[in-house]
Amino acid sequence: MSQDTEVDMKEVELNELEPEKQPMNAASGAAVAVVVSGGAEKNGLVKLKVADDEAEAAAAAKFTGLSKEELLKVAGSPGWVRTRWALLLLFWLGWLGMLAGAVVIIVRAPRCRELPGQRWWHKGALYRIGDLQAFQGRDAGSLAGLKKHLDYLSTLKVKGIVLGPIHKNQKDDVTGTNLEQIDPALGSKEDFDSLLQSAKKKSIRVILDLTPNYRSQNSWFFPTEIGAVDSMMKNALNFWLQAAIDGFQVRDMENLKDASSLLPEWQNITKSFSEDKLLIAGTESSDLQQILYLLESTKDLLLTSSYLSNSSFTGKHTEVLVTQYLNTTGSHWCSWSLSQAGLLTSFVPAELLRLYQLLLFTLPGTPPAKAPAMLWDESNFPNTSGPVSANMTVKGQNGDPVSVLSLFRHLSDLRGKERSLLHGDFHALTSGPDIFSYIRQWDQNERFLVVLNFGGVSRPARLGVSSLPASASLPARVDVVLSTWPGPGREEGTSLELEHLNLEPHEGLLLRFPYVA
């Protein structure tokens, strides 16, 4: 065999090798030059069936699954039967465990107290407008003018206004007095109806003062005329109830003969029309026994009095008056005031005015039916010739963030939203000289601590909890809600340490802290 023939045979053998077994120096690609007879070269190809071989291997390895008979046979084997029973048992044990855990949580969780039934007058302040001219100025003073100020009254978050008296009254003359007719100087029945409808649209209730002989010192005429007065009152109650009035006020009960028997009759007329109608009775008496005598005669009567005017404006004396009243009246709903009709500014020293606003808004009961600023602007008083200071008017106080009016608005809004202030329990604390402090709390809601310094010097609070029940306690730190002394460190949200709490002269503090189970 020649040398050329041996070379050709080696090349053919190399081409027939599998690609992965060819040496690295073999000709690249599938084409290999082969010498054929005649001396010409011919490109040759080696065909590899790679794709077909892989498909055939995959088809051979494909799993076709078990038949129905094979599945039933496997499922019925002892091992699988035991596994299924074990899983089923674990499922039910887990379900029963979660159920038992939920029951334990429900049983051990503190139960919520049932909310007391409350009417609209329990939920916010009442704003008294006794004299329309005193509120609007000498050149105003009408029902139509009052309607224009309803937007302002709405911003105070009050639940109602106590209006009047506005009826026709000829001094000391029963026949010249008509409780069903509005004084023409103040407007007409149409003006009143328009005011009433506008007030209702703003969720403001209207209470009408029907004290008959209000232009005289003797508000109820003479004892010999009590029969005529009673008849006139009953007719007027029915008349105004039909006109959709929300309630009535009668004052000077100490001057009304047989008040303890007449009040229940008038209350029955009011409540028979609707349980949502209110009757307010007022007395200038500050004697607790006389107050109790009126309260015991009529259920659900809201009574205003001069009880707190007995205070010597000291913390300890005020604490005695408040706790004595609450303990004596029991579950009867309270209404706190220093007078049945007068302004707070007429009875409280100017330096304590803001402190008393805080006190009256945070005690249990309906806040005072008194306006912190009666005059609308610098118009003159109806019965005086001198100008009125701007800081005594609505316009003068409205834009001042530290005014008594702004404080009234803040407290009124807060009281309407917090359950602890709406109907929470009251617990007095022991405290330092001339300081009155107490806690308001309801169930699991946020608690409020009120600390009032009636003195004219700065004092440490020195709060004691020895008189508190087991359900009430004090934390180490509290947050400021508001202070009647707008100084540094009294901004809302500031955290204060109770152990080192000091109050400025005549300062009142409203503080909050969370419920802890």
Side-chain angles (χ1 to χ4, degrees), residues 125-131 135 153 158 160-165 207-209 211 249 251 339-343 368-374 408:
L126 302 176
Y127 192 110
R128 175 170 172 75
I129 305 176
D131 189 331
F135 179 69
L153 294 172
V158 295
I161 56 175
V162 183
L163 181 61
I207 302 164
L208 196 57
D209 193 322
T211 307
Q249 175 175 266
R251 293 181 284 116
S339 170
Q340 63 173 341
L343 289 173
K370 304 293 183 296
M374 279 293 292
F408 182 99

Side-chain angles (χ1 to χ4, degrees), residues 26-45:
S28 62
V32 180
V34 181
V35 179
V36 294
S37 60
E41 294 185 349
K42 180 180 181 180
N43 290 334
L45 296 177

Side-chain angles (χ1 to χ4, degrees), residues 297-316:
S297 66
T298 309
K299 182 182 178 182
D300 295 333
L301 179 71
L302 196 63
L303 182 68
T304 60
S305 69
S306 300
Y307 176 73
L308 286 182
S309 64
N310 273 339
S311 173
S312 57
F313 303 113
T314 64
K316 292 304 178 186

Side-chain angles (χ1 to χ4, degrees), residues 53 72 78 89 95 115 125 169 200 227 244 279 282 317 321 326 333 346 354 373 422 432 439 466 514:
D53 292 342
L72 290 175
L89 181 61
W95 186 87
L115 293 176
N169 170 228
K200 288 185 182 298
L279 178 63
H317 192 198
L321 289 176
L326 291 173
W333 188 258
S346 303
R354 296 168 61 83
L422 272 174
I439 293 175
S466 58

Side-chain angles (χ1 to χ4, degrees), residues 4 63 269 329-330 381 430:
D4 293 337
F63 178 70
I269 293 175
T329 56
F381 277 107
T430 59

Side-chain angles (χ1 to χ4, degrees), residues 229-439:
V229 172
D230 180 33
S231 177
M232 181 170 56
M233 279 293 301
K234 290 176 179 176
N235 291 335
L237 291 173
N238 283 298
F239 174 81
W240 289 111
L241 285 170
Q242 293 294 332
I245 201 73
D246 295 294
F248 307 95
Q249 175 175 266
V250 287
R251 293 181 284 116
D252 300 324
M253 289 294 99
E254 68 276 9
N255 296 329
L256 175 62
K257 182 182 178 181
D258 299 328
S260 60
S261 60
L262 293 177
L263 277 176
E265 293 180 11
W266 299 344
Q267 177 82 320
N268 288 338
I269 293 175
T270 304
K271 293 297 182 181
S272 63
F273 192 88
S274 171
E275 287 292 329
D276 213 29
K277 303 297 182 181
L278 172 65
L279 178 63
I280 304 175
T283 177
E284 283 299 337
S285 174
S286 58
D287 183 74
L288 183 57
Q289 295 306 315
Q290 293 186 20
I291 292 171
L292 290 175
Y293 178 70
L294 291 173
L295 288 175
E296 291 170 356
S297 66
T298 309
K299 182 182 178 182
D300 295 333
L301 179 71
L302 196 63
L303 182 68
T304 60
S305 69
S306 300
Y307 176 73
L308 286 182
S309 64
N310 273 339
S311 173
S312 57
F313 303 113
T314 64
K316 292 304 178 186
H317 192 198
T318 304
E319 178 182 353
V320 169
L321 289 176
V322 169
T323 54
Q324 183 181 27
Y325 190 94
L326 291 173
N327 293 336
T328 305
T329 56
S331 60
H332 200 287
W333 188 258
C334 304
S335 178
W336 300 97
S337 59
L338 280 81
S339 170
Q340 63 173 341
L343 289 173
L344 198 61
T345 52
S346 303
F347 300 91
V348 177
E351 64 271 14
L352 290 176
L353 189 59
R354 296 168 61 83
L355 181 143
Y356 262 85
Q357 286 285 356
L358 177 57
L359 170 69
L360 298 175
F361 265 99
T362 55
L363 287 175
T366 296
K370 304 293 183 296
M374 279 293 292
L375 294 172
W376 185 257
D377 52 30
E378 291 83 356
S379 300
N380 295 340
F381 277 107
N383 299 320
T384 63
S385 57
V388 180
S389 173
N391 61 11
M392 296 175 60
T393 67
V394 172
K395 285 189 175 181
Q397 294 191 21
N398 199 34
D400 184 359
V402 297
S403 68
V404 177
L405 183 58
S406 296
L407 178 64
F408 182 99
R409 182 181 287 113
H410 191 175
L411 289 169
S412 181
D413 179 58
L414 187 68
R415 191 187 181 280
K417 298 187 294 188
E418 298 291 347
R419 286 183 177 176
S420 291
L421 296 177
L422 272 174
H423 44 247
D425 301 325
F426 172 91
H427 301 295
L429 301 170
T430 59
S431 49
D434 225 9
I435 289 180
F436 178 27
S437 59
Y438 50 91
I439 293 175

Side-chain angles (χ1 to χ4, degrees), residues 477-481 489-496 511:
R477 303 188 70 89
V478 293
D479 294 333
V480 175
V481 178
R490 293 297 192 257
E491 296 83 5
E492 184 175 359
T494 302
S495 179
L496 300 178
L511 309 165

